[in-house]
Amino acid sequence: MRVLLTSAGLETEEIKEYFVDMIGKDMSSVKALFIPTAAIDADAIGVLPKCMNDLLKCGIQNKNIKVYDLHIGMDVDELRQYDVVYLCGGNTAYLLDRINSTGFNTTLMEYIQDNGLVIGVSAGSLIFSNNLPGNLGLIDTKLDVHCAEGEKKGKVEYPLKDNIRLTNTCSLTVRDIPNGLAIIGE
């Protein structure tokens, strides 16, 4: 299990380096699935180039990034062709509805259980928490993103407290539940 839940993606050098280390292979050969589905308003659409740049600045080649808008589902064998799934921010309810209605929820969770790497950004993180009914259930708590003050860096105790707060410069990393939860960044 390799999941980075963030407010703002690979915002800091520390989070970027952690991501590159999690990939564990030459970045020029990494294949990424970029999901902008949640970006349905002008503000969220405006952030999409920054999200794409998160992948490019790590050395992932543009030709190895597939933009996938979840109009239809994807089976797990096809998803396993990608080294990372990047879920962009925007409207959480819309993203979660599309994930669930296409059956991508099952595929994505199987991919994660098979050690697939996922980066969630804002709404792309919230879908894994208890913020909305029908969530993907990865973490059994509510998650707040874009907070002025967040959790302290280090291991996160399990069972999780009622609410985890993330700033734009930290990430909740999920490597294993219950022992592999940590906050990186500030």
Side-chain angles (χ1 to χ4, degrees), residues 1-3 5 33 35 68 70 73-77 79-80 82 84-87 95-96 98-100 102-120 123-125 127-128 135-138:
M1 186 175 299
R2 301 176 299 155
V3 180
L5 302 178
L33 187 66
I35 301 177
Y68 189 71
L70 285 172
M74 178 184 287
D75 69 41
V76 74
D77 289 332
L79 186 57
R80 285 186 185 124
Y82 298 96
V84 61
V85 174
Y86 188 110
L87 292 154
L95 174 61
L96 189 57
R98 290 281 292 276
I99 286 172
N100 289 335
T102 61
F104 192 68
N105 54 343
T106 304
T107 301
L108 183 60
M109 292 309 293
E110 187 173 336
Y111 173 81
I112 289 170
Q113 294 301 325
D114 287 345
N115 208 33
L117 176 55
V118 173
I119 299 174
S125 293
I127 62 170
F128 293 104
N135 68 76
L136 300 184
L138 181 67

Side-chain angles (χ1 to χ4, degrees), residues 63-161:
K63 68 179 183 176
N64 290 342
I65 301 172
K66 179 179 179 176
V67 177
Y68 189 71
D69 198 32
L70 285 172
H71 292 295
I72 58 172
M74 178 184 287
D75 69 41
V76 74
D77 289 332
E78 184 178 354
L79 186 57
R80 285 186 185 124
Q81 295 174 23
Y82 298 96
D83 300 297
V84 61
V85 174
Y86 188 110
L87 292 154
C88 298
N91 185 305
T92 308
Y94 181 75
L95 174 61
L96 189 57
D97 179 64
R98 290 281 292 276
I99 286 172
N100 289 335
S101 67
T102 61
F104 192 68
N105 54 343
T106 304
T107 301
L108 183 60
M109 292 309 293
E110 187 173 336
Y111 173 81
I112 289 170
Q113 294 301 325
D114 287 345
N115 208 33
L117 176 55
V118 173
I119 299 174
V121 177
S122 195
S125 293
L126 296 176
I127 62 170
F128 293 104
S129 67
N130 286 346
N131 292 48
L132 293 174
N135 68 76
L136 300 184
L138 181 67
I139 58 170
D140 189 20
T141 189
K142 289 192 178 199
L143 188 65
D144 286 335
V145 294
H146 307 294
C147 298
E149 293 182 17
E151 305 303 324
K152 292 187 187 310
K153 188 175 189 171
K155 187 175 181 343
V156 175
E157 296 299 320
Y158 194 86
L160 299 173
K161 62 184 187 172

